[in-house]
Amino acid sequence: MRPTVTFRPLCSQCRLPLPPVISLRRGYHAEPDSFPDMEAELLRRKRKTDAKRRQGGSEFIDHLIVTVRGGKGGSGASAFTAHPSKRGLGIPSGGNGGQGGSVYLKTSPHLTSLARISKRLIGEQGSHGAGQMKHGRRGADVIVSVPVGTVVREMNSEAATVAWAKEDAALGLDAQQRRERRWDRWFVSHPNTEVIADEYGPAEETLRREGFLRRTTVDPIYLDITKPIVEPVLLSTGGRGGLGNPHFQQPESPPPRLASKGLSPGTLTLSFELKLLADVGLVGLPNAGKSTILRALTGRGAEVAGYAFTTLNPQVGVVRVFEDGSWRGEEGVVEESETRREREKADRVKGEYMPPPVKTRGQAEATRFTISDNPGLLARASENYGLGHSFLRSIERSLALVYVVDLGSDTPDTDLQVLRDELEAYKPGLADKAVAVVLNKGDEVDEEVGKERVKRVKEVIKAWGGGVETVVVSAKFGLGMKRVVRVLCDRVGEVRKELARVEAEEVHEE
Ligand SMILES: Nc1nc2c(ncn2[C@@H]2O[C@H](COP(=O)(O)OP(=O)(O)OP(=O)(O)O)[C@@H](O)[C@H]2O)c(=O)[nH]1
Ligand SMILES: [Mg+2]
């Protein structure tokens, strides 16, 4: 007999069923333009979901703006060792400053979020040189770890020289004043002696000759990290340490009293964006049952509840398919336990989360693919409403997409069209990745009503030009999931083969 379930959304605070009048679900299935003031309604939803996301803790962040700068170089020293004759200043003996630390980037397999990344990544300053030819210590490097799937883009960068020129212009200085400020930035002088202005000119020449004043232009940074990085990638080099006073000795001139300051590298503003890499991405309106499907396929404890926006952060699970077509996670009805969920969440934050042991049933694994559960998509998510871009960002990379539609909804066909329109609005061509429509909650509708709704959905797909399979399931009760697994295995297999062929061709052309 078909199990019957009455749907009652739960209150997000007290977890008790909400009275049907204020069912949250109703709003999310409504036509996008059916509210009198749609702008206000969408803003309200966005504020609500943002607040909910913040409440849930900040352990998941998928977009971050970071300031990056290599450490400044230490200054060279202006020092003298007493001359054997004990006359004059003595012999110049100032050591060079140490180089500033550089900033590098690498990947870590243990990360799934950008939450741990500091917003300012500044290499350590090199230490200053000292008398008796003691050179300064090199500043420590900063190595930042990011998850695979991160895209790093340079937003703007300003070379230190450009920043100074702007500052000078703003102060309205004349040529001589500008020169003096420049010298002040470049040189240190011996504390006990007065430097005469004539010494600066030749010293500036020395700096130029040593390559200190050369303007370097580098291409803007763009890293699309799709594979683990073995050798850390350089983001910003530490500034060169300054020269000690022996470098400024001029022939037939008194001993040099000037030493140069270390260089300060320019500041970069980088945007870090995390795009999860999963073979299959689940796309559906809030409450359609995406997380339940992930749990049914992977046995993974994704958060499931009867209210919209339960899932605030995308998560990835692995579907392991065995030779007889069975898969891990197939063990029947999915349990919803608040305590277990809380415990797992706490463990994940501490980095101690251990997925439940895998039951292989003595069978060999035939194939495996990854699947990502995503937050619910709203009409106009492409304009960054709801969880908007943060959600679309993480499905962009999937090899295949699966629409999850609630068959219990009166308008599954319109819901499906909303999903496709949003994908296309975000990135034209993205909807072509769709391989299947999973019509979930099949247990909730009568056979006649169900058939009629499936027919309407199929008409929509036909209007797109077909090529997308329709599967009716009840994820909660594990019905129809075998076909979903088979369809996904086939389609992911095809896409992988195609990718391998394209890659082989590219290698051949090179
Ligand atoms: N009757 C029935 N209920 C289901 C089925 N699948 C999911 N549900 C219920 O629908 C509700 C929403 O399920 P979720 O898996 O949290 O839905 P979701 O799409 O992940 O929702 P968001 O994360 O909020 O976008 C839960 O109460 C589930 O128990 C199903 O096949 N049949
Ligand atoms: Mg969910």
Side-chain angles (χ1 to χ4, degrees):
M1 209 185 75
R2 194 189 286 270
T4 48
V5 180
T6 36
F7 176 83
R8 292 289 296 277
L10 300 179
C11 166
S12 57
Q13 254 105 60
C14 62
R15 322 284 301 172
L16 292 172
L18 290 168
V21 204
I22 52 161
S23 162
L24 287 167
R25 187 178 170 214
R26 208 185 39 162
Y28 293 105
H29 282 290
E31 289 285 314
D33 295 321
S34 62
F35 289 90
D37 183 352
M38 196 56 206
E39 273 312 299
E41 171 61 20
L42 289 172
L43 267 175
R44 187 188 67 80
R45 287 182 188 179
K46 180 164 170 52
R47 268 204 304 275
K48 202 167 156 189
T49 46
D50 277 353
K52 207 172 159 194
R53 202 171 191 179
R54 279 197 300 276
Q55 261 173 23
S58 60
E59 76 259 33
F60 184 87
I61 290 181
D62 55 3
H63 190 218
L64 195 67
I65 307 285
V66 180
T67 306
V68 175
R69 183 167 58 70
K72 286 183 188 162
S75 299
S78 175
F80 298 91
T81 312
H83 197 273
S85 67
K86 308 265 189 239
R87 283 223 230 109
L89 275 173
I91 302 161
S93 64
N96 297 336
Q99 165 138 8
S102 301
V103 182
Y104 292 92
L105 177 134
K106 70 177 178 72
T107 53
S108 163
H110 306 294
L111 291 176
T112 50
S113 158
L114 301 175
R116 298 272 164 91
I117 295 174
S118 159
K119 287 192 175 167
R120 282 169 60 82
L121 302 168
I122 314 281
E124 195 195 358
Q125 179 171 354
S127 52
H128 301 317
Q132 299 177 337
M133 295 306 280
K134 281 186 193 142
H135 298 314
R137 191 178 46 81
R138 202 181 180 290
D141 292 336
V142 169
I143 304 182
V144 58
S145 296
V146 297
V148 173
T150 306
V151 179
V152 180
R153 269 193 216 96
E154 187 169 325
M155 296 177 66
N156 62 47
S157 62
E158 191 164 65
T161 42
V162 178
W164 288 332
K166 270 193 198 161
E167 221 177 280
D168 287 356
L171 288 171
L173 305 177
D174 64 27
Q176 180 57 26
Q177 285 168 323
R178 278 209 300 274
R179 205 170 301 130
E180 280 168 11
R181 257 173 73 86
R182 208 165 64 212
W183 290 337
D184 197 38
R185 275 194 307 262
W186 288 345
F187 298 107
V188 278
S189 56
H190 193 274
N192 302 337
T193 59
E194 188 111 333
V195 183
I196 20 174
D198 289 354
E199 284 183 50
Y200 285 105
E204 194 174 329
E205 225 9 79
T206 310
L207 281 191
R208 188 157 287 122
R209 208 175 43 243
E210 297 278 343
F212 269 77
L213 307 185
R214 201 178 298 140
R215 281 196 187 175
T216 45
T217 45
V218 268
D219 289 338
I221 294 176
Y222 181 85
L223 297 169
D224 187 352
I225 306 164
T226 52
K227 292 189 183 122
I229 295 177
V230 189
E231 277 286 297
V233 178
L234 181 67
L235 294 180
S236 173
T237 322
R240 241 175 110 179
L243 300 175
N245 62 337
H247 288 266
F248 297 97
Q249 180 74 63
Q250 302 294 332
E252 291 161 30
S253 299
R257 281 162 289 189
L258 288 177
S260 73
K261 289 184 180 172
L263 292 186
S264 171
T267 306
L268 301 173
T269 308
L270 300 181
S271 118
F272 284 45
E273 203 181 333
L274 176 61
K275 300 184 178 193
L276 285 183
L277 299 169
D279 297 322
V280 178
L282 297 175
V283 184
L285 295 182
N287 237 346
K290 300 171 294 298
S291 304
T292 313
I293 291 178
L294 183 91
R295 292 177 73 158
L297 291 178
T298 64
R300 200 188 149 116
E303 215 172 339
V304 168
Y307 53 87
F309 291 115
T310 310
T311 307
L312 297 173
N313 305 314
Q315 51 182 329
V316 179
V318 183
V319 186
R320 308 182 52 179
V321 188
F322 303 104
E323 276 175 339
D324 67 349
S326 62
W327 69 96
R328 181 194 158 206
E330 203 189 358
E331 288 88 21
V333 180
V334 174
E335 264 194 47
E336 292 176 25
S337 142
E338 179 72 5
T339 29
R340 189 179 138 201
R341 207 158 51 225
E342 287 300 321
R343 203 177 56 227
E344 282 182 4
K345 193 169 163 191
D347 284 351
R348 237 176 264 140
V349 173
K350 283 189 279 175
E352 292 170 8
Y353 176 70
M354 287 286 285
V358 182
K359 292 178 196 160
T360 58
R361 302 187 205 85
Q363 289 222 38
E365 194 180 299
T367 182
R368 66 165 68 185
F369 58 88
T370 51
I371 186 162
S372 70
D373 169 30
N374 297 295
L377 180 69
L378 283 185
R380 298 176 69 181
S382 53
E383 294 166 33
N384 216 2
Y385 285 107
L387 294 178
H389 286 171
S390 70
F391 150 73
L392 288 161
R393 201 176 278 146
S394 58
I395 58 157
E396 207 184 317
R397 302 279 194 87
S398 302
L399 298 183
L401 297 178
V402 170
Y403 294 120
V404 181
V405 176
D406 179 355
L407 200 59
S409 148
D410 294 336
T411 54
D413 45 347
T414 335
D415 295 349
L416 181 59
Q417 191 60 47
V418 166
L419 296 176
R420 187 187 153 96
D421 291 347
E422 284 314 313
L423 295 188
E424 278 300 300
Y426 176 69
K427 195 173 172 193
L430 188 57
D432 296 343
K433 288 190 176 180
V435 296
V437 176
V438 172
L439 294 161
N440 190 30
K441 307 196 190 179
D443 57 284
E444 269 194 351
V445 285
D446 292 338
E447 204 166 329
E448 282 311 304
V449 179
K451 272 187 183 163
E452 192 268 329
R453 288 180 184 170
V454 174
K455 199 170 138 224
R456 274 193 278 147
V457 166
K458 284 192 172 164
E459 274 163 16
V460 172
I461 297 174
K462 205 168 151 199
W464 300 343
V468 179
E469 302 238 15
T470 324
V471 192
V472 181
V473 302
S474 165
K476 186 165 180 171
F477 298 98
L479 304 172
M481 298 308 289
K482 196 161 186 161
R483 184 147 169 249
V484 175
V485 172
R486 207 174 53 235
V487 168
L488 291 184
C489 276
D490 291 352
R491 300 302 289 267
V492 170
E494 282 166 23
V495 183
R496 279 182 185 158
K497 260 192 213 147
E498 178 60 18
L499 278 180
R501 195 185 59 76
V502 173
E503 257 177 37
E505 264 179 23
E506 278 170 6
V507 171
H508 189 68
E509 276 167 22
E510 278 169 17

